[in-house]
Amino acid sequence: MKNATEHRSLFEAALSAAANAYAPYSRFRVGAALLTEDGKVVTGVNVENRSFGLTNCAERSAVFAAVSSGIRKFSAIAIATPDSDYPVGPCGACRQVLSEFMSAETPVIFGPDFERSVETSVGALYPFDSLHELAGK
Ligand code: THU
């Protein structure tokens, strides 16, 4: 049950982070929380822009924040979408970015709240990954 407890608290961190989302255009707040291999939590939120294409998703914000502080190894990610009533999974671009830094087995938990969350993996969300052997270490 260690994972279930860990995943619940990781999800709660994502949910708290979602309060900081900058989403005045979609009004769809997203928070992401990464569990680092040494047990820290790094969060990110979606940051929109009036030039819509510049929007950064919560998942990529979290990964970029972690990498910017020197962290590249993660053991799970949780994504909270409190404005949806069903689990909203990461977009295609974010799946590619998650695959850069996480193994196929890494758990991905997402939902509007923990009770309605689903748990899957980076490999299930991004199958037939190619060129992973080129990924920087
Ligand atoms: N969004 C994320 O941040 N992550 C997801 O997994 C789905 C979509 C953001 C992008 C945009 O700010 C808003 O949610 C609506 O698409």
Side-chain angles (χ1 to χ4, degrees):
M1 287 311 279
K2 182 168 176 268
N3 271 357
T5 314
E6 245 178 34
H7 291 176
R8 177 181 282 276
S9 64
L10 190 64
F11 187 89
E12 295 307 328
L15 197 53
S16 305
N20 294 327
Y22 178 72
Y25 305 106
S26 72
R27 305 246 164 237
F28 190 79
R29 297 164 299 166
V30 187
L34 289 162
L35 183 61
T36 73
E37 223 173 54
D38 55 1
K40 296 196 187 79
V41 173
V42 179
T43 60
V45 299
N46 53 330
V47 182
E48 298 184 346
N49 191 273
R50 61 187 185 272
S51 176
F52 297 156
L54 299 181
T55 292
N56 210 64
C57 295
E59 297 88 328
R60 278 175 292 141
S61 295
V63 170
F64 297 161
V67 173
S68 299
S69 69
I71 302 167
R72 297 180 184 176
K73 293 186 172 175
F74 310 105
S75 49
I77 180 169
I79 303 146
T81 55
D83 301 320
S84 71
D85 51 13
Y86 60 91
V88 174
C91 78
C94 287
R95 293 177 195 210
Q96 167 88 37
V97 170
L98 298 183
S99 80
E100 181 78 15
F101 295 101
M102 297 171 193
S103 70
E105 296 71 39
T106 308
V108 181
I109 303 104
F110 57 89
D113 49 44
F114 190 70
E115 285 62 37
R116 286 177 289 175
S117 69
V118 296
E119 179 175 330
T120 180
S121 66
V122 169
L125 291 172
Y126 197 64
F128 303 105
D129 187 12
S130 55
L131 297 178
H132 47 78
E133 67 279 9
L134 297 182
K137 288 281 175 285

